[in-house]
Amino acid sequence: MSASWQESVFARLNEQPATPVSPSAPVPGSGRVDGVYVTSQPQSTVAIGSPISRVDGRAKVMGQARYVAEHTAPDICYGVVVCSTIARGRITAIDSSAAMRVPGVLAVMTHENRPRMRSMRIFHKDMDAPGGKPFRPLHDDRVYCSGQPVALVIAETFEQARYASSLVRVHYAVEDHDTDLMANFKRAHTPKGIKAGFSPPPKARGDADAAFAAAPVQIDAQYHAGVEHHNPLEMHATVTIRGEDGHLTVYDKTQSSENSAFVIRHALGLSSNEVTVRNAFIGGAFGSGLRPQYQTLMSVMGAQLVKRSLKVALTRQQMFSIGHRPETWQRVRLGADTDGTLRALVHEAVAETSRIEDYVEVTVNWSSQLYACDNVRHGYKLVDLDQYTPLDMRAPGAAHGVHAIEVAMDELSYALKMDPLALRLKNYAERDLNSDKPFSSKELRACYAQGAALFGWEKRPLAPRSMREGREWVGWGMATGIWDAMQAYAKVRAVLRADGSLTVSTATSDIGTGTYTAMTLIAATSLGLPLEAVTFELGDSTLPTAPLEGGSCTVASVGSAVDVVCEKLKRRLLKIAKGMNGSPFEKATLSRVAFVDGELRYRTASGETHAVGLGELIRAAGLDRIEEKHLLLPNVLKQRKYVRATHSAVFAEVKVDEDFGTVRVTRVVSAVAAGRIISAKTARSQITGAVVWGISQALHEDTKIDHALGRFMNHNLSEYHIAVNADIHAIDVLFVEEDDRVVSRLGAKGVGEIGIVGVAAAVCNAIYHATGTRVRSTPITPDKVMRWGH
Amino acid sequence: MNRFEYARSGSVHDALRAIRQVPVMVDALGPEPLGTDPPMKFIAGGTNLLDLVKENVMHPRLLVDINGLPLDRIQPTAEGGLLLGALARNADTAYHPLVQERYPLLSAAILAGASPQLRNMATNGGNLLQRTRCYYFYDAGVPCNKRQPGSGCPARGGLNRIHAVLGASPQCIATHPSDMCVALAALEAVVLVSGPQGDRRIDFADFHRLPGDRPDIDTTLAADELITGIALPPEGFARHSAYLKLRDRQSYAFALVSVAAALEIDEASGEIREARVALGGVAHKPWRDREAERSLIGRRPVPAAFEAMAAMVLADAQGYGHNDFKIPMAHRAIVRTLERACGVEVA
């Protein structure tokens, strides 16, 4: 065997020089043409940072990528959720008789006839649960909020179930409810319990109140943000398929198949080999899939009740009955010297939560991390209301907290008659004073400089109401963005086969962010394989464990694990090569070889180049595949010496009608420092999409609650406004150079959240620059901008 | 979705006969629990009706599909106007060369509404019969006098930012959502109707109702009558007309305030000879004030005249809190639209 192996391998040697692997080299033949990325290169020469197209893009546009509700089974039936119309009280009776008479109806599942569910709240805690008692769907007669699920109608067809659901009569003993945050400040309490990713406000430093009182220039402003709902394109759904052996395969809309499996097993008392959860394709989530929503348990229980496979999909209206970004009130006080030096910073927030859980997010801490100030005090409190528990939404906490500080800094700049960007540079934090640690990397200055240059900021007149076109005022505003650069554990498995194909597997998710693409790129680059030879598997709770896909940590965590496991494969391959009889690789070391074009290449000291196909190596070892696993654990000892964060600078231009207050955001530049960019095209898409959402947050998004009814009322996409194409104009994204080996071995941070942080503030600040009207509540609708009566 | 019967008709006569058939479906479930809307409905584009059925707001027991009726033509009338078939699609109407040339106000208004997909599907007749977008009307879980007469109006003291400031009643402060109808009101179109008693013509001003104490009834069309067409008068005000729509986002949003303005200006004297101003988003029907319009006649098209006219239109306007801004917004919108219509808009 070795003879033929040597013949085949060495016959092709010395024909071409080996190509050194250059991880950061641009890909030849690719580039930007009229705003569209084209990839004309053979994709075998990918490198980290290549702007490759989504590896799952073709499957998605061909309809081959199946989203949750597209899964089915021969014995499938359909469940439609009935939601409460009262905000607080008890269910006294549920009359299902009319619904049960509808042909095709199999069951009306309520708290009275559901299958067994564990009562202890600890069994309902998921991996993203905040402190408190998690909601248990259909557990008992208690109604905590309007829109809470109270029954599931199960029928042979969806139409039968939907019709029958309209006939279910629920009788309540109504209790007084309260949903009004602003009317209940006196009930504000300090949050109890802990939550993943949450850290309470840092301890006060100096004497902020005295310093504020003594400061020659003061800003004292209050900001309000209404409720927002996630509304991903794909509605939440769960399909429970019963196998002949009783095994449950659960397709769930989730950002972690393991988290859903965890809750299903614990809440329903099932063993781990009785349930598999899958989520291979997710049509957007933005945080709404970080916790299993109520349809997950309802689908599994319903399947148990009727002993059939069951599909439960929420309607768009019901997407307003699950978690949301909490209504938040903030007050920021800034005291400064006349040269702009910050002397005092007080940042307080009060946000809503439910009666049963203390949902928390990092809202106020950012302000004193962004700006150097010796006298700082924070406050963060919650008011429990008769609402569903709020839920992480893209850049939770920062989207509100950074908005407030960045609008307050803008207000301060006018009080000082100082350029807003100059004011930020004046108070630039060289190290994080909250923790008194250095940043692992912080290229925010470069974001400011490069963003300002691309935007043309230096031409900006200082005074508001200085620029005009026709009947519109024109304004330019800017803001800073910041988010954590986190890393978590991740375990991956990699199998390289004799045919040269590689499969890398882990239970992470791809919520549309490009996980498949980034991981495929990392593996292909590491092993020098063409993209087509690499399959990345995710979205299955039986795969090696991975963190929830949230918080912008997936590339740094899972990506690093992929990189390590590929290195393990490379060591193994080199070992095989060296162990061959008469091997020319005998003296090769990992640092002296290259993995290129599916080959292991080695240039000897004498200049000879040897190469062997990876598949051939596996066959030579008498194997059909080699497998490696790796559990990546963050290097806590190293990481805890630093504060790790991503940064951005956002510049916006608006045009505002002088009479009507209608706002058009005509131009946005977002300059981002997020470490080394792994997958250039999907990373850019993340930022562009986040800017779109930031504009939407600034101008449109608002779930309106009728406090008399205790109910969200604009629960459809006709009246819950999100930005449409006509609202979006030029968006330029640039990534500044940054490479952070503290955050991850790849040098990468994450780009999921940072893109939205600061966008609404930049828009708000631009509106002030245009009109001289400061709007301190979002969304900034025309009635708040147009000057009238009061 | 509730169960319903479905019939397809090939002629107006068949459709009118079909709509009088009481559904024969034996209903084991007893009477429908909600709503008072007529149990028999015509369906064309279905862009509004199907939504309302899916949301349990309307409960038709019989749908008569009229898409096969020969009512989709757009053609000149003997009087020199233009007949818009009831089944001509909104998009085909807006882009029809005769509409664009002679009634640019109508074209602009249609294109300001909905989305291209919806305009491709929605018909002219159906556009007239859109139901309000009041949040409370759309949520079967809460009271609404329009949906369930006598149940109450939570909008009055609740979320009323998108609601009426003119012509409302204690029972209902909902608005009519159409853009197209605002232009049709300004153009004084006539709605052509067929019913069991034969054909009749309804002046556009008389087609939609104010809510009064029967907010459940939107129009003067009887349940067994069918809109066959819309007749546009010869005068299209092509020289001096404008449609302005103010909304919370740049597309796919209902009007906070919209204005259709049409003027006839005497070329020799430069004076206004005819003025039409219709408002959308402010009332239960497209709103016109003839007295205020008359105040412009004989005046030169100057901002002062427009300001005075706008003040007259809004003299009796009443806000309910969240929608107070609509009154100054409507005032400014009237002035801006009139300026645009006569080409005197200045920067």
Side-chain angles (χ1 to χ4, degrees):
Chain A
M1 176 177 97
S2 58
S4 66
W5 171 72
Q6 285 172 354
E7 275 169 30
S8 67
V9 171
F10 298 134
R12 288 179 284 114
L13 293 185
N14 300 316
E15 287 171 8
Q16 54 184 14
T19 314
V21 177
S22 170
S24 58
V27 178
S30 70
R32 194 170 178 179
V33 179
D34 292 337
V36 179
Y37 273 94
V38 292
T39 311
S40 60
Q41 85 282 10
Q43 293 204 319
S44 55
T45 55
V46 293
I48 297 296
S50 294
I52 61 167
S53 293
R54 285 173 191 271
V55 296
D56 52 339
R58 186 179 169 82
K60 282 185 170 173
V61 299
M62 299 282 284
Q64 291 158 351
R66 283 219 217 148
Y67 294 92
V68 171
E70 294 176 301
H71 291 279
T72 190
D75 68 333
I76 199 80
C77 55
Y78 297 80
V80 168
V81 178
V82 179
C83 292
S84 78
T85 53
I86 67 157
R88 183 185 171 104
R90 287 191 181 279
I91 301 165
T92 53
I94 297 181
D95 178 0
S96 305
S97 54
M100 286 301 295
R101 281 200 296 274
V102 174
V105 170
L106 301 169
V108 177
M109 183 171 72
T110 71
H111 66 281
E112 292 171 324
N113 67 346
R114 61 162 169 78
R116 179 181 165 273
M117 167 191 265
R118 282 171 162 172
S119 284
M120 282 181 68
R121 304 273 192 162
I122 188 74
F123 292 120
H124 291 260
K125 282 263 185 192
D126 68 89
M127 300 171 185
D128 190 40
K133 302 168 177 175
F135 174 62
R136 300 165 297 181
L138 303 188
H139 179 268
D140 53 51
D141 62 353
R142 187 82 232 167
V143 175
Y144 297 100
C145 64
S146 187
Q148 172 183 317
V150 293
L152 183 73
V153 179
I154 304 170
E156 294 287 349
T157 70
F158 168 69
E159 288 78 10
Q160 291 164 344
R162 181 166 64 184
Y163 174 46
S165 74
S166 73
L167 303 176
V168 175
R169 290 292 158 264
V170 185
H171 301 276
Y172 303 97
V174 181
E175 297 169 13
D176 288 345
H177 65 262
D178 202 339
T179 53
D180 194 344
L181 172 70
M182 301 303 285
N184 282 283
F185 277 12
K186 61 181 183 302
R187 290 204 295 110
H189 68 270
T190 302
K192 299 177 286 286
I194 55 165
K195 179 179 178 296
F198 178 71
S199 42
K203 285 201 181 83
R205 53 181 187 262
D207 186 341
D209 296 281
F212 177 76
V217 184
Q218 297 174 336
I219 292 295
D220 183 352
Q222 299 179 30
Y223 305 93
H224 178 266
V227 169
E228 298 165 44
H229 277 85
H230 303 72
N231 280 308
L233 192 58
E234 180 197 27
M235 272 95 68
H236 276 260
T238 305
V239 180
T240 303
I241 294 179
R242 287 166 52 93
E244 285 179 9
D245 55 355
H247 186 88
L248 300 176
T249 303
V250 180
Y251 294 91
D252 193 29
K253 165 99 179 187
T254 173
Q255 286 169 247
S256 167
S257 54
E258 293 175 277
N259 194 20
S260 291
F262 180 85
V263 168
I264 293 167
R265 289 201 317 264
H266 287 178
L268 303 181
L270 302 171
S271 69
S272 59
N273 56 15
E274 287 178 288
V275 183
T276 304
V277 175
R278 292 191 180 144
N279 66 333
F281 291 99
I282 293 298
F286 312 119
S288 64
L290 283 174
R291 306 186 67 185
Q293 297 297 329
Y294 58 69
Q295 90 289 339
T296 305
L297 284 182
M298 289 175 77
S299 169
V300 178
M301 287 194 294
Q304 290 176 325
L305 182 71
V306 299
K307 299 185 168 53
R308 297 266 297 264
S309 297
L310 175 65
K311 182 181 300 195
V312 179
L314 300 190
T315 64
R316 179 58 67 185
Q317 288 71 26
Q318 288 167 341
M319 291 299 290
F320 292 82
S321 69
I322 60 175
H324 53 270
R325 202 196 284 283
E327 180 180 3
T328 302
W329 170 91
Q330 296 177 80
R331 180 181 180 188
V332 177
R333 273 167 285 180
L334 300 175
D337 289 341
T338 50
D339 69 350
T341 305
L342 268 185
R343 290 300 177 201
L345 193 169
V346 182
H347 189 171
E348 298 162 292
V350 180
E352 46 125 353
T353 190
S354 66
R355 298 283 188 187
I356 52 178
E357 290 178 300
D358 267 5
Y359 170 79
V360 287
E361 50 190 29
V362 176
T363 304
V364 296
N365 313 20
W366 309 103
S367 48
S368 55
Q369 186 173 348
L370 268 176
Y371 298 110
C373 183
D374 294 330
N375 300 291
V376 173
R377 183 168 64 76
H378 291 297
Y380 178 63
K381 290 193 169 180
L382 301 176
V383 174
D384 55 310
L385 298 168
D386 298 299
Q387 291 277 32
Y388 200 83
T389 304
L391 181 57
D392 293 311
M393 181 188 285
R394 202 174 205 168
H400 283 158
V402 177
H403 179 85
I405 183 65
E406 287 301 290
V407 175
M409 285 295 280
D410 197 67
E411 301 202 37
L412 180 61
S413 76
Y414 287 96
L416 292 161
K417 294 192 168 36
M418 191 171 175
D419 177 82
L421 177 51
L423 175 64
R424 285 163 173 85
L425 290 170
K426 177 87 184 169
N427 295 286
Y428 193 86
E430 300 292 352
R431 60 192 275 117
D432 174 42
L433 297 176
N434 284 352
S435 59
D436 200 26
K437 289 177 186 173
F439 290 98
S440 57
S441 61
K442 180 179 178 180
E443 292 299 332
L444 178 56
R445 271 187 213 284
C447 295
Y448 286 141
Q450 293 176 33
L454 184 58
F455 187 82
W457 184 257
E458 79 282 357
K459 296 192 209 80
R460 176 181 179 273
L462 210 54
R465 292 168 85 86
S466 299
M467 298 192 287
R468 223 179 131 81
E469 279 177 21
R471 302 293 288 264
E472 290 178 316
W473 293 107
V474 181
W476 292 357
M478 59 86 55
T480 316
I482 183 169
W483 183 251
D484 293 327
M486 293 176 278
Q487 190 185 36
Y489 67 91
K491 191 172 184 180
V492 298
R493 180 177 63 223
V495 176
L496 183 65
R497 292 180 195 78
D499 63 1
S501 68
L502 174 72
T503 301
V504 184
S505 314
T506 175
T508 188
S509 307
D510 186 340
I511 57 173
T513 44
T515 311
Y516 279 113
T517 306
M519 300 306 153
T520 302
L521 182 60
I522 292 166
T525 302
S526 177
L527 278 163
L529 294 172
L531 287 175
E532 310 82 63
V534 179
T535 302
F536 186 74
E537 274 185 336
L538 55 68
D540 187 317
S541 60
T542 62
L543 293 174
T545 187
L548 309 179
E549 200 196 28
S552 303
C553 75
T554 300
V555 165
S557 312
V558 180
S560 295
V562 170
D563 195 44
V564 179
V565 86
C566 289
E567 193 178 300
K568 283 186 172 177
L569 282 177
K570 291 200 282 194
R571 289 187 190 282
R572 180 101 171 261
L573 289 161
L574 180 59
K575 195 174 170 190
I576 294 171
K578 289 168 70 132
M580 290 301 163
N581 208 5
S583 169
F585 294 91
E586 203 174 347
K587 289 182 178 160
T589 59
L590 199 59
S591 57
R592 300 293 303 273
V593 297
F595 288 80
V596 181
D597 289 343
E599 292 182 336
L600 167 62
R601 292 183 188 164
Y602 172 54
R603 189 192 291 246
T604 63
S606 59
E608 281 178 295
T609 302
H610 303 281
V612 59
L614 304 187
E616 291 169 81
L617 278 172
I618 292 170
R619 284 194 296 275
L623 301 170
D624 63 346
R625 48 189 267 164
I626 57 172
E627 178 175 329
E628 291 288 351
K629 288 181 188 163
H630 182 70
L631 171 64
L632 178 125
L633 295 170
N635 185 344
V636 178
L637 289 178
K638 183 175 167 192
Q639 290 181 343
R640 74 178 183 191
K641 293 177 191 157
Y642 301 93
V643 165
R644 294 159 289 137
T646 52
H647 294 89
S648 69
V650 189
F651 299 83
E653 175 185 85
V654 300
K655 297 186 177 173
V656 185
D657 188 283
E658 61 169 351
D659 288 331
F660 307 122
T662 42
V663 177
R664 298 186 297 135
V665 181
T666 46
R667 206 153 60 86
V668 174
V669 170
S670 176
V672 176
R676 199 151 149 255
I677 299 305
I678 302 298
S679 171
K681 192 172 176 181
T682 54
R684 182 173 297 270
S685 294
Q686 281 291 289
I687 303 298
T688 307
V691 169
V692 170
W693 198 356
I695 293 169
S696 196
Q697 181 183 39
L699 301 182
H700 306 304
E701 297 199 33
D702 188 15
T703 319
K704 298 172 200 298
I705 186 157
D706 182 308
H707 292 304
L709 298 166
R711 188 171 172 89
F712 294 123
M713 290 311 303
N714 54 332
H715 43 57
N716 54 63
L717 288 184
S718 169
E719 296 302 331
Y720 179 90
H721 292 156
I722 60 173
V724 296
N725 275 331
D727 296 300
I728 301 303
H729 302 275
I731 297 174
D732 276 306
V733 175
L734 67 90
F735 292 107
V736 308
E737 284 286 320
E738 201 178 61
D739 188 340
D740 192 326
R741 306 286 164 159
V742 174
V743 171
S744 70
R745 61 182 267 127
L746 293 165
K749 295 177 177 174
V751 294
E753 332 282 329
I754 185 65
I756 195 173
V757 185
V759 176
V763 171
C764 174
N765 296 342
I767 290 169
Y768 180 79
H769 188 239
T771 64
T773 300
R774 179 67 69 181
V775 181
R776 296 187 181 85
S777 69
T778 52
I780 306 172
T781 46
D783 46 315
K784 297 178 188 172
V785 182
M786 64 182 277
R787 295 177 177 213
W788 57 288
H790 53 258
Chain B
M1 184 178 297
N2 57 346
R3 295 198 293 165
F4 58 85
E5 286 179 44
Y6 174 83
R8 219 177 263 173
S9 294
S11 72
V12 173
H13 181 261
D14 284 350
L16 290 173
R17 198 172 55 193
I19 204 72
R20 289 196 297 275
Q21 304 295 315
V22 174
V24 293
M25 182 169 63
V26 177
D27 194 349
L29 308 170
E32 275 297 323
L34 294 168
T36 59
D37 52 284
M40 295 156 282
K41 302 290 289 184
F42 295 113
I43 183 165
T47 55
N48 192 200
L49 179 59
L50 290 184
D51 276 353
L52 291 163
V53 173
K54 284 192 274 191
E55 301 227 31
N56 284 320
V57 174
M58 293 178 74
H59 309 86
R61 315 317 301 272
L62 169 66
L63 288 182
V64 178
D65 186 332
I66 54 169
N67 283 296
L69 271 55
L71 299 173
D72 60 348
R73 295 181 53 189
I74 295 174
Q75 55 196 351
T77 61
E79 303 85 53
L82 196 63
L83 175 66
L84 310 177
L87 288 171
R89 306 286 154 171
N90 277 183
D92 292 333
T93 306
Y95 293 119
H96 194 281
L98 286 175
V99 175
Q100 289 190 309
E101 180 193 327
R102 296 181 52 194
Y103 307 93
L105 177 64
L106 178 62
S107 182
I110 294 173
L111 295 178
S115 66
Q117 296 89 333
L118 285 166
R119 296 195 296 265
N120 285 341
M121 198 67 200
T123 62
N124 292 334
N127 192 305
L128 272 52
L129 299 174
Q130 286 181 81
R131 309 298 308 270
T132 183
R133 297 291 166 152
C134 171
Y135 314 128
Y136 300 92
F137 176 70
Y138 251 81
D139 185 340
V142 305
C144 168
N145 285 330
K146 184 181 277 296
R147 185 165 30 76
Q148 272 185 289
S151 61
C153 175
R156 228 184 140 80
L159 300 170
N160 51 45
R161 183 171 172 274
I162 61 173
H163 288 74
V165 293
L166 287 163
S169 76
Q171 283 75 36
C172 182
I173 60 169
T175 60
H176 187 66
S178 169
D179 289 293
M180 180 186 186
C181 290
V182 181
L184 291 174
L187 292 168
E188 297 190 347
V190 174
V191 185
L192 310 181
V193 167
S194 287
Q197 270 76 50
D199 297 346
R200 68 181 181 119
R201 297 163 67 91
I202 308 175
D203 286 345
F204 207 82
D206 300 328
F207 185 81
H208 295 103
R209 296 178 68 255
L210 288 177
D213 54 8
R214 288 302 303 272
D216 54 318
I217 305 173
D218 290 348
T219 70
T220 54
L221 189 74
D224 57 358
E225 286 183 315
L226 176 68
I227 300 171
T228 58
I230 300 161
L232 298 176
E235 176 58 70
F237 300 92
R239 281 177 60 81
H240 297 296
S241 67
Y243 188 74
L244 176 66
K245 179 177 183 179
L246 301 170
R247 45 187 153 177
D248 280 323
R249 58 182 170 190
Q250 295 294 313
S251 182
Y252 192 57
F254 293 94
L256 296 168
V257 170
S258 70
V259 180
L263 297 171
E264 192 189 332
I265 299 173
D266 187 287
E267 299 219 2
S269 66
E271 288 173 359
I272 296 168
R273 282 171 41 183
E274 168 98 52
R276 310 264 181 86
V277 177
L279 272 66
V282 296
H284 199 259
K285 60 184 287 188
W287 188 263
R288 280 184 65 190
D289 184 328
R290 309 300 166 92
E291 193 187 340
E293 289 173 358
R294 275 195 295 275
S295 77
L296 290 174
I297 294 174
R299 300 285 304 271
R300 298 181 65 83
V302 293
F306 300 156
E307 292 278 352
M309 189 272 174
M312 284 179 74
V313 172
L314 294 160
D316 295 327
Q318 185 196 343
Y320 298 90
H322 297 131
N323 67 348
D324 291 350
F325 74 95
K326 280 191 176 186
I327 299 170
M329 181 178 264
H331 181 106
R332 296 173 197 182
I334 291 168
V335 173
R336 178 81 67 91
T337 313
L338 283 165
E339 287 175 1
R340 248 182 220 178
C342 58
V344 298
E345 187 183 357
V346 286

